[in-house]
Amino acid sequence: MTAPRIDTETLRRLPKAVLHDHLDGGLRPATVVELADAVGHTLPTTDPDALAAWYFEAANSGDLVRYIATFEHTLAVMQSREGLLRTAEEYVLDLAADGVVYAEVRYAPELMVNGGLALPEVVESVQEGLAAGMAKAAAAGTPVRVGTLLCGMRMFDRTKETADLAVAFRHAGVVGFDIAGAEDGFPPADHLAAFEHLRRENVPFTIHAGEAHGLPSIHQALQVCGAQRIGHGVRITDDIVDGKLGRLAGWVRDRRIALEMCPTSNLQTGAATSIAEHPITELKDLGFRVTLNTDNRLVSGTTMTREMSLLVQEAGWSVEDLRTVTVNALKSAFVPFDERRALIEDVVLPGYASAL
Ligand SMILES: [Zn+2]
């Protein structure tokens, strides 16, 4: 099958929805350079282009732990109110320029307190920056709705505190929760207190699982912790043999549990071997609720347009496939149903209809 080539500008204009993108993994290189200079943080290079290349190279190590280590330099410039306001605003503007109409941004407040900010001040600053970005994007005719997921770090013990924060800010822009960080050795059930609290409070959450670690991690995230979505989840394919689904894979597909898949990021951390063979295509064809995501735009040197382009060129995806994963993302988004339906019916479907 040869898919018709779709040019990059057409892809850029398509309405997109991203559920899995880290605030601290998506800074502009020039902003990192400028803010690092202001706070006296030493970078591997102070040339923005060379810094972008450095990130891509360091992230290409094939190891999740090394990949995560690159965040030292973005986090260094996100320890003040000014740094958070600016990076959050630019984050929104960059997504809007990429054709994104709905995004869930995630970050760990506990990693942004080294400059003396209290956890609630971190969240307030980020929300203010996001709101400024959304106002500017709307004024420029490219509106984007951004909801926030607060992440607890799975190797530390502040997840319950972060869950409390998500509950406290649920009417101020925070729409859910996640745990992030190195997966191996840090099972999600270590953080049951946080998840039980969120469930009691009716705050939805997703869990990074099935990226570095396999089926037990996905099973625990869903059946012990109660996650409504799975971050990555590529290893669910361990439970699929010749297109036949095992019990866990069947649960994930049949309960319509969204898999937040991030192809380029998975290549870099070794969770997948090529775009052509990335499980996202097989899972889409088997009817799973797959969604397409960037994970970390600076660190992975990517955008939603680039991820779409890679799937079209290397995995034979059609515009209809791209529409499917976009609608999937909105169906499983954590904002209220009426907002999701309005985005699907008034923005996404008309946007794809005019491109087809
Ligand atoms: Zn992630």
Side-chain angles (χ1 to χ4, degrees):
M1 183 190 81
T2 48
R5 287 287 181 262
I6 308 159
D7 66 275
T8 308
E9 182 49 28
T10 302
L11 289 175
R12 195 193 60 74
R13 280 201 311 266
L14 289 174
K16 303 171 188 72
V18 56
L19 299 182
H20 192 125
D21 194 62
H22 294 260
L23 179 64
D24 47 327
L27 274 58
R28 296 177 184 172
T31 299
V32 178
V33 169
E34 221 174 284
L35 293 178
D37 182 53
V39 299
H41 175 79
T42 306
L43 293 171
T45 164
T46 53
D47 174 70
D49 292 336
L51 184 66
W54 177 87
Y55 265 105
F56 193 69
E57 218 131 280
N60 264 332
S61 62
D63 176 68
L64 180 60
V65 175
R66 256 195 78 191
Y67 182 94
I68 290 173
T70 60
F71 287 79
E72 173 198 339
H73 301 296
T74 51
L75 285 168
V77 304
M78 301 176 78
Q79 304 297 332
S80 67
R81 183 174 148 74
E82 299 68 39
L84 292 171
L85 285 172
R86 175 164 170 188
T87 53
E89 179 178 327
E90 291 179 353
Y91 177 95
V92 177
L93 296 175
D94 291 350
L95 291 187
D98 194 24
V100 174
V101 297
Y102 177 79
E104 287 177 17
V105 56
R106 64 182 75 193
Y107 67 95
E110 67 190 271
L111 299 179
M112 296 164 185
V113 294
N114 296 342
L117 291 177
L119 289 174
E121 291 172 328
V122 171
V123 181
E124 282 160 8
S125 304
V126 171
Q127 287 309 132
E128 216 178 301
L130 295 175
M134 282 189 272
K136 278 192 188 171
T142 54
V144 49
R145 166 76 161 98
V146 182
T148 302
L149 308 182
L150 299 184
C151 299
M153 298 307 290
R154 59 204 306 156
M155 59 288 212
F156 304 135
D157 59 2
R158 300 190 78 172
T159 49
K160 170 63 170 60
E161 214 178 332
T162 308
D164 285 338
L165 208 55
V167 172
F169 280 86
R170 64 190 310 176
H171 299 299
V174 174
V175 301
F177 178 86
D178 169 43
I179 55 168
E183 190 179 352
D184 257 339
F186 301 98
D190 285 357
H191 304 283
L192 263 189
F195 299 126
E196 282 171 358
H197 179 58
L198 291 163
R199 290 213 305 265
R200 274 194 300 273
E201 293 291 338
N202 306 302
V203 172
F205 55 90
T206 177
I207 295 180
H208 276 81
E211 178 183 15
H213 201 64
L215 293 175
S217 177
I218 299 175
H219 181 264
Q220 204 180 80
L222 292 172
Q223 311 298 30
V224 179
C225 303
Q228 285 83 47
R229 302 194 316 232
I230 292 293
H232 297 289
V234 285
R235 296 283 300 276
I236 196 67
T237 51
D238 293 358
D239 200 33
I240 303 173
V241 181
D242 296 331
K244 206 170 157 334
L245 277 53
R247 287 182 200 161
L248 181 62
W251 177 270
V252 171
R253 186 189 65 177
D254 300 340
R255 296 300 105 220
R256 316 307 295 145
I257 293 162
L259 300 172
E260 305 160 357
M261 311 208 88
C262 313
T264 296
S265 167
N266 291 158
L267 296 192
Q268 294 181 314
T269 59
T273 49
S274 70
I275 294 293
E277 290 179 7
H278 190 284
I280 191 170
T281 302
E282 181 192 0
L283 293 168
K284 165 185 69 67
D285 293 342
L286 286 169
F288 281 77
R289 184 168 286 178
V290 295
T291 68
L292 179 64
N293 302 276
T294 36
D295 206 8
N296 297 290
R297 288 169 293 113
L298 166 62
V299 177
S300 290
T302 199
T303 60
M304 284 298 286
T305 299
R306 180 173 173 274
E307 295 296 314
M308 286 183 161
S309 171
L310 287 169
L311 289 172
V312 167
Q313 287 173 20
E314 296 178 29
W317 280 44
S318 63
V319 173
E320 287 88 346
D321 291 328
L322 299 174
R323 181 181 60 195
T324 297
V325 293
T326 306
V327 171
N328 280 351
L330 284 164
K331 283 181 174 171
S332 292
F334 285 161
V335 292
F337 175 67
D338 50 352
E339 276 193 65
R340 284 148 49 198
R341 189 169 59 182
L343 279 165
I344 292 173
E345 291 176 359
D346 305 339
V347 181
V348 172
L349 296 181
Y352 279 82
S354 64
L356 283 167

